[in-house]
Amino acid sequence: TYARGLYADPAAAHYFDGIGMHWYGGLNTDNLDGTHALAPDKFLLATEACNCPGVIYEAEAAAEWWQRAEHLGMDILQDLLHWSVGWIDWNLILDTTGGPNHLGNRCDANLIADPTGEMGFGAGIIKQASFYYMGHFSRYLRPGMRHVALTNTVETSAPPLSPADIKNGVALAFVP
């Protein structure tokens, strides 16, 4: 709806090259596809995401610590698969409570600044699981790279095997 309103006025659409979006309503891949279809010449850019409430530390809740990183990774993958030209994380580093934040809604970040060592990990920077997820995307996806579509077909039935098709008790099936 937002994109449709922006693109409806050609004079206004002339002044922007794309739209930024956030993940706060879920993945919404249908909306990304629909927005791209409205104006394929305009870009989509994921501009904000975070895990809330508060900061989760590995020692306190390892499963949730990893799950938050997985959610972030899934969002990045899905955005990139559905026309996003990039992905920006709005809070690379926060304090041990998930701030500062002008609204008081504390959130997690890839890096947690703990200059006094209050969390018991020593003074410095705490790397969250999401830091490593983000690192994989940052290191291996470079500007200008393209997604290549792949179709995989699995044949569910195979021709009957003959004794010549079995070697050391293992079936050898070669399907042209």
Side-chain angles (χ1 to χ4, degrees):
T1 303
Y2 174 71
R4 199 173 298 113
L6 286 171
Y7 295 147
D9 181 354
H14 173 75
Y15 290 100
F16 62 91
D17 293 323
I19 293 178
M21 73 272 188
H22 303 188
W23 79 336
Y24 299 110
L27 293 176
N28 292 307
T29 55
D30 289 343
N31 289 335
L32 297 177
D33 291 341
T35 300
H36 172 74
L38 288 172
D41 60 319
K42 304 284 189 188
F43 68 79
L44 298 174
L45 178 63
T47 60
E48 184 174 326
C50 64
N51 283 297
C52 300
V55 178
I56 300 294
Y57 295 98
E58 180 181 19
E60 297 171 352
E64 187 176 355
W65 187 72
W66 274 112
Q67 186 178 45
R68 284 183 166 199
E70 289 169 352
H71 288 162
L72 210 61
M74 181 57 72
D75 180 64
I76 294 169
L77 282 173
Q78 291 303 310
D79 285 347
L80 294 175
L81 288 171
H82 294 272
W83 305 106
S84 183
V85 298
W87 199 94
I88 300 169
D89 196 352
W90 78 281
N91 57 358
L92 181 61
I93 187 167
L94 295 173
D95 68 19
T96 58
T97 66
N101 182 305
H102 70 287
L103 295 176
N105 57 336
R106 305 298 179 141
C107 298
D108 217 333
N110 296 324
L111 300 169
I112 302 298
D114 187 7
T116 62
E118 68 183 271
M119 298 310 301
F121 304 109
I125 302 296
I126 301 167
K127 294 177 182 174
Q128 297 290 69
S130 59
F131 172 84
Y132 299 101
Y133 267 73
M134 196 65 131
H136 278 33
F137 290 102
S138 302
R139 284 184 195 97
Y140 301 111
L141 297 180
R142 294 290 179 217
M145 292 181 110
R146 300 280 185 235
H147 171 256
V148 177
L150 174 68
T151 301
N152 186 9
T153 304
V154 176
E155 191 167 315
T156 58
S157 61
L161 296 177
S162 71
D165 295 327
I166 299 173
K167 182 174 183 179
N168 298 328
V170 177
L172 303 172
F174 300 97
V175 181

Short mmCIF file of all heavy atoms in Angstrom, two decimals, residues 75-103:
data_model
loop_
_atom_site.label_atom_id
_atom_site.label_comp_id
_atom_site.label_asym_id
_atom_site.label_seq_id
_atom_site.Cartn_x
_atom_site.Cartn_y
_atom_site.Cartn_z
N ASP A 75 15.87 -13.58 7.74
CA ASP A 75 15.37 -12.33 7.17
C ASP A 75 16.28 -11.84 6.05
O ASP A 75 15.81 -11.44 4.99
CB ASP A 75 15.25 -11.25 8.25
CG ASP A 75 14.73 -9.95 7.69
OD1 ASP A 75 13.58 -9.92 7.21
OD2 ASP A 75 15.50 -8.97 7.67
N ILE A 76 17.58 -11.89 6.27
CA ILE A 76 18.52 -11.45 5.24
C ILE A 76 18.35 -12.30 3.99
O ILE A 76 18.23 -11.78 2.87
CB ILE A 76 19.97 -11.53 5.75
CG1 ILE A 76 20.20 -10.53 6.89
CG2 ILE A 76 20.95 -11.26 4.61
CD1 ILE A 76 21.51 -10.72 7.63
N LEU A 77 18.32 -13.62 4.15
CA LEU A 77 18.18 -14.52 3.00
C LEU A 77 16.90 -14.25 2.22
O LEU A 77 16.91 -14.14 0.99
CB LEU A 77 18.19 -15.97 3.45
CG LEU A 77 19.54 -16.58 3.77
CD1 LEU A 77 19.36 -17.97 4.36
CD2 LEU A 77 20.42 -16.64 2.53
N GLN A 78 15.79 -14.15 2.94
CA GLN A 78 14.51 -13.95 2.27
C GLN A 78 14.43 -12.58 1.59
O GLN A 78 13.90 -12.47 0.48
CB GLN A 78 13.35 -14.14 3.24
CG GLN A 78 13.18 -15.58 3.68
CD GLN A 78 12.98 -16.52 2.49
OE1 GLN A 78 12.16 -16.29 1.62
NE2 GLN A 78 13.76 -17.58 2.45
N ASP A 79 14.95 -11.55 2.24
CA ASP A 79 14.96 -10.24 1.60
C ASP A 79 15.76 -10.28 0.31
O ASP A 79 15.33 -9.75 -0.72
CB ASP A 79 15.54 -9.17 2.54
CG ASP A 79 14.59 -8.78 3.65
OD1 ASP A 79 13.39 -9.12 3.59
OD2 ASP A 79 15.05 -8.13 4.61
N LEU A 80 16.93 -10.90 0.34
CA LEU A 80 17.76 -10.97 -0.85
C LEU A 80 17.12 -11.82 -1.96
O LEU A 80 17.29 -11.54 -3.14
CB LEU A 80 19.15 -11.51 -0.51
CG LEU A 80 20.00 -10.59 0.39
CD1 LEU A 80 21.30 -11.29 0.77
CD2 LEU A 80 20.26 -9.25 -0.25
N LEU A 81 16.39 -12.85 -1.57
CA LEU A 81 15.70 -13.70 -2.55
C LEU A 81 14.47 -13.02 -3.14
O LEU A 81 13.95 -13.46 -4.16
CB LEU A 81 15.28 -15.03 -1.91
CG LEU A 81 16.42 -16.00 -1.63
CD1 LEU A 81 15.92 -17.18 -0.81
CD2 LEU A 81 17.06 -16.49 -2.93
N HIS A 82 14.00 -11.95 -2.48
CA HIS A 82 12.78 -11.26 -2.92
C HIS A 82 13.06 -9.80 -3.22
O HIS A 82 12.40 -8.91 -2.72
CB HIS A 82 11.66 -11.45 -1.90
CG HIS A 82 11.22 -12.87 -1.78
ND1 HIS A 82 10.25 -13.42 -2.58
CD2 HIS A 82 11.68 -13.88 -1.01
CE1 HIS A 82 10.10 -14.69 -2.29
NE2 HIS A 82 10.96 -15.01 -1.33
N TRP A 83 14.11 -9.57 -4.01
CA TRP A 83 14.39 -8.30 -4.67
C TRP A 83 15.14 -7.26 -3.86
O TRP A 83 15.45 -6.18 -4.37
CB TRP A 83 13.12 -7.68 -5.25
CG TRP A 83 12.42 -8.63 -6.17
CD1 TRP A 83 11.27 -9.32 -5.91
CD2 TRP A 83 12.84 -9.03 -7.46
NE1 TRP A 83 10.95 -10.13 -6.97
CE2 TRP A 83 11.91 -9.97 -7.95
CE3 TRP A 83 13.93 -8.69 -8.28
CZ2 TRP A 83 12.02 -10.56 -9.19
CZ3 TRP A 83 14.03 -9.29 -9.52
CH2 TRP A 83 13.08 -10.21 -9.97
N SER A 84 15.48 -7.51 -2.63
CA SER A 84 16.26 -6.51 -1.88
C SER A 84 17.68 -6.46 -2.45
O SER A 84 18.30 -7.49 -2.69
CB SER A 84 16.31 -6.88 -0.40
OG SER A 84 17.00 -5.88 0.32
N VAL A 85 18.19 -5.24 -2.63
CA VAL A 85 19.54 -5.08 -3.18
C VAL A 85 20.59 -5.06 -2.08
O VAL A 85 21.79 -5.05 -2.36
CB VAL A 85 19.66 -3.78 -4.01
CG1 VAL A 85 18.71 -3.83 -5.20
CG2 VAL A 85 19.41 -2.55 -3.15
N GLY A 86 20.16 -5.08 -0.84
CA GLY A 86 21.10 -5.06 0.28
C GLY A 86 20.35 -5.16 1.59
O GLY A 86 19.11 -5.25 1.63
N TRP A 87 21.10 -5.12 2.67
CA TRP A 87 20.51 -5.28 3.99
C TRP A 87 21.37 -4.50 4.98
O TRP A 87 22.59 -4.67 5.02
CB TRP A 87 20.48 -6.76 4.34
CG TRP A 87 19.55 -7.14 5.42
CD1 TRP A 87 18.26 -7.58 5.28
CD2 TRP A 87 19.80 -7.16 6.82
NE1 TRP A 87 17.71 -7.85 6.49
CE2 TRP A 87 18.65 -7.60 7.47
CE3 TRP A 87 20.91 -6.83 7.59
CZ2 TRP A 87 18.54 -7.72 8.83
CZ3 TRP A 87 20.81 -6.95 8.96
CH2 TRP A 87 19.64 -7.40 9.57
N ILE A 88 20.74 -3.63 5.77
CA ILE A 88 21.44 -2.80 6.73
C ILE A 88 20.91 -3.11 8.13
O ILE A 88 19.70 -3.13 8.35
CB ILE A 88 21.21 -1.30 6.44
CG1 ILE A 88 21.72 -0.96 5.04
CG2 ILE A 88 21.89 -0.44 7.49
CD1 ILE A 88 21.29 0.42 4.57
N ASP A 89 21.80 -3.35 9.08
CA ASP A 89 21.39 -3.57 10.47
C ASP A 89 21.48 -2.24 11.20
O ASP A 89 22.51 -1.58 11.17
CB ASP A 89 22.31 -4.60 11.13
CG ASP A 89 21.73 -5.15 12.41
OD1 ASP A 89 20.68 -4.63 12.88
OD2 ASP A 89 22.30 -6.10 12.95
N TRP A 90 20.42 -1.83 11.83
CA TRP A 90 20.38 -0.48 12.40
C TRP A 90 21.14 -0.34 13.71
O TRP A 90 21.47 0.75 14.13
CB TRP A 90 18.93 -0.02 12.59
CG TRP A 90 18.24 -0.60 13.79
CD1 TRP A 90 17.71 -1.84 13.89
CD2 TRP A 90 18.01 0.05 15.03
NE1 TRP A 90 17.16 -2.03 15.12
CE2 TRP A 90 17.33 -0.87 15.85
CE3 TRP A 90 18.30 1.31 15.54
CZ2 TRP A 90 16.93 -0.57 17.15
CZ3 TRP A 90 17.90 1.60 16.84
CH2 TRP A 90 17.22 0.66 17.62
N ASN A 91 21.42 -1.42 14.40
CA ASN A 91 22.12 -1.29 15.69
C ASN A 91 23.26 -2.29 15.78
O ASN A 91 23.14 -3.31 16.43
CB ASN A 91 21.14 -1.46 16.85
CG ASN A 91 20.39 -2.77 16.80
OD1 ASN A 91 20.55 -3.56 15.89
ND2 ASN A 91 19.58 -3.02 17.78
N LEU A 92 24.36 -1.97 15.20
CA LEU A 92 25.51 -2.85 15.20
C LEU A 92 26.04 -3.09 16.62
O LEU A 92 26.45 -4.18 16.97
CB LEU A 92 26.62 -2.27 14.33
CG LEU A 92 27.89 -3.09 14.23
CD1 LEU A 92 27.60 -4.45 13.61
CD2 LEU A 92 28.94 -2.36 13.39
N ILE A 93 26.00 -2.05 17.47
CA ILE A 93 26.52 -2.18 18.83
C ILE A 93 25.63 -1.42 19.81
O ILE A 93 25.20 -0.31 19.53
CB ILE A 93 28.00 -1.69 18.91
CG1 ILE A 93 28.59 -1.99 20.28
CG2 ILE A 93 28.12 -0.23 18.54
CD1 ILE A 93 30.10 -1.84 20.33
N LEU A 94 25.31 -2.08 20.91
CA LEU A 94 24.51 -1.47 21.98
C LEU A 94 25.17 -1.78 23.32
O LEU A 94 26.11 -2.58 23.39
CB LEU A 94 23.08 -2.02 21.97
CG LEU A 94 22.23 -1.68 20.74
CD1 LEU A 94 20.91 -2.43 20.77
CD2 LEU A 94 22.00 -0.18 20.63
N ASP A 95 24.66 -1.20 24.40
CA ASP A 95 25.21 -1.49 25.72
C ASP A 95 24.61 -2.77 26.29
O ASP A 95 23.79 -3.43 25.65
CB ASP A 95 25.05 -0.29 26.67
CG ASP A 95 23.61 0.00 27.06
OD1 ASP A 95 22.73 -0.89 26.93
OD2 ASP A 95 23.35 1.12 27.52
N THR A 96 25.00 -3.16 27.48
CA THR A 96 24.60 -4.44 28.07
C THR A 96 23.11 -4.56 28.34
O THR A 96 22.61 -5.66 28.56
CB THR A 96 25.37 -4.70 29.37
OG1 THR A 96 25.13 -3.63 30.26
CG2 THR A 96 26.86 -4.85 29.10
N THR A 97 22.39 -3.44 28.32
CA THR A 97 20.94 -3.48 28.53
C THR A 97 20.17 -3.37 27.22
O THR A 97 18.95 -3.39 27.22
CB THR A 97 20.48 -2.36 29.48
OG1 THR A 97 20.69 -1.10 28.86
CG2 THR A 97 21.20 -2.43 30.82
N GLY A 98 20.89 -3.20 26.10
CA GLY A 98 20.23 -3.06 24.82
C GLY A 98 19.91 -1.62 24.46
O GLY A 98 18.99 -1.35 23.70
N GLY A 99 20.64 -0.71 24.98
CA GLY A 99 20.41 0.71 24.71
C GLY A 99 21.69 1.36 24.23
O GLY A 99 22.67 0.68 23.97
N PRO A 100 21.72 2.65 24.16
CA PRO A 100 20.63 3.56 24.52
C PRO A 100 19.54 3.58 23.45
O PRO A 100 19.78 3.24 22.29
CB PRO A 100 21.33 4.91 24.59
CG PRO A 100 22.49 4.79 23.67
CD PRO A 100 22.92 3.35 23.71
N ASN A 101 18.37 3.98 23.87
CA ASN A 101 17.23 4.05 22.98
C ASN A 101 16.29 5.11 23.51
O ASN A 101 15.90 5.08 24.67
CB ASN A 101 16.55 2.68 22.94
CG ASN A 101 15.38 2.62 22.00
OD1 ASN A 101 14.45 3.43 22.11
ND2 ASN A 101 15.40 1.68 21.10
N HIS A 102 15.88 6.03 22.67
CA HIS A 102 15.03 7.14 23.10
C HIS A 102 13.63 6.70 23.50
O HIS A 102 12.94 7.41 24.22
CB HIS A 102 14.97 8.22 22.00
CG HIS A 102 14.20 7.82 20.78
ND1 HIS A 102 14.69 6.91 19.86
CD2 HIS A 102 12.99 8.19 20.36
CE1 HIS A 102 13.80 6.76 18.91
NE2 HIS A 102 12.76 7.52 19.18
N LEU A 103 13.20 5.53 23.07
CA LEU A 103 11.87 5.04 23.43
C LEU A 103 11.89 4.09 24.62
O LEU A 103 10.84 3.73 25.13
CB LEU A 103 11.22 4.34 22.24
CG LEU A 103 10.92 5.21 21.03
CD1 LEU A 103 10.38 4.37 19.89
CD2 LEU A 103 9.94 6.32 21.40
#
